[in-house]
Amino acid sequence: MKNDKIKNQYRINEQIRVREVRIVSDGGSTVMPTRQALEMAREQDADLVEISPNANPPVCRIIDYSKFLYQQKKRQKEMKAKQVKVEVKEIRFGPQTDEHDYQFKLKHAKEFLEEGNKVRAYVFFRGRSILFKEQGEVLLLRFANDLEEWGKVESMPSLEGKKMFLYLAPKKTGSSTKKSQQARDREKLKAGEQTDAKGNVKQQTKAINADDSDIDTPSNGGLLANAKISADALKKLTENED
């Protein structure tokens, strides 16, 4: 069926009934009577193929028609292979989903987004559980927040019948996306929980700062204030050692 569809796209030889055509080749293009073009095709043991019927005059090529069809099929396969097929994957929650089940589904959603698929997450309210629709909305918002590095929200949670939907689309791969503040905070928290040699040094420095009552620690001093405090603490430690 597909082969017949490709064949029917083009008229060849005697099917071309216009008075004149434009013949294109590697050497350029020439307008000539259709009869003359047919004679040239016969002399070359080839076919006259109309490739642009809407042009004035129609554009034709003298080529082996079987070879021409093969090239067209090959080109279509290559174009189809380059097309990225985006699927919509569904993730279903209950209004009172436990933490283990939530983390399991979160992991799958990350995989779906990394593969370039969209994610449609929804909370299904059965019977009187519709009373917990606010709880379901909070669950979906948390889900979107935990996936912000992998996907972007296409539509916020919305209730449709007994289901509340959230739609996520994958972020473009290869783009240098800035990490969110939440992601940076999580990484800092993990780094602070490590118990390597460097971590022990940091803990000792913190203990010195905590025991030093002469240092005034601003609550929201930012990086510069923290750097000043660390420098003063190290200076006092050096004086004590002397």
Side-chain angles (χ1 to χ4, degrees), residues 148 179-186 188:
E148 63 181 346
K179 292 184 178 179
S180 64
Q181 183 62 43
Q182 293 91 333
R184 291 195 294 269
D185 291 342
R186 285 195 294 267
K188 288 180 181 178

Side-chain angles (χ1 to χ4, degrees), residues 206-225:
K206 290 180 180 178
I208 293 168
N209 291 339
D211 294 336
D212 194 348
S213 59
D214 297 334
I215 297 176
D216 184 15
T217 306
S219 59
N220 294 314
L223 295 175
L224 293 177

Side-chain angles (χ1 to χ4, degrees), residues 2-3 5 14 16 18 21 30 38 40 54 58 72 89 96 105 122 125 130 133-134 150 155 157 173 187 189 225 232:
K2 291 183 179 179
N3 294 342
K5 187 176 180 180
E14 284 75 14
I16 305 171
V18 293
V21 294
T30 306
L38 285 170
M40 288 179 60
N54 295 326
Q72 293 299 108
K89 302 291 186 177
Q96 297 179 340
K105 292 177 179 179
Y122 68 93
F125 300 98
I130 192 68
K133 62 181 180 179
E134 289 82 6
W150 295 270
S155 64
T173 57
E187 290 182 356
L189 183 61
D232 293 340

Side-chain angles (χ1 to χ4, degrees), residues 108-174:
H108 280 286
K110 289 178 183 178
E111 294 174 354
F112 295 149
L113 292 169
E114 287 176 345
E115 292 170 358
N117 298 311
K118 292 186 177 183
V119 171
R120 178 171 63 184
Y122 68 93
V123 179
F124 180 70
F125 300 98
R126 188 188 303 274
R128 294 177 60 85
S129 65
I130 192 68
L131 298 173
F132 300 99
K133 62 181 180 179
E134 289 82 6
Q135 188 173 342
E137 183 178 4
V138 171
L139 175 64
L140 291 177
L141 290 174
R142 177 194 174 190
F143 191 66
N145 184 67
D146 290 342
L147 292 170
E148 63 181 346
E149 295 180 36
W150 295 270
K152 57 184 178 181
V153 177
E154 282 193 329
S155 64
M156 297 299 288
S158 60
L159 187 64
E160 300 177 17
K162 293 184 178 181
K163 296 180 181 180
M164 181 175 287
F165 290 95
L166 170 75
Y167 292 87
L168 296 169
K171 287 188 175 179
K172 292 182 179 179
T173 57

Side-chain angles (χ1 to χ4, degrees), residues 185-199:
D185 291 342
R186 285 195 294 267
E187 290 182 356
K188 288 180 181 178
L189 183 61
K190 287 184 179 180
E193 292 174 351
Q194 293 178 355
T195 56
D196 57 354
K198 293 183 180 179

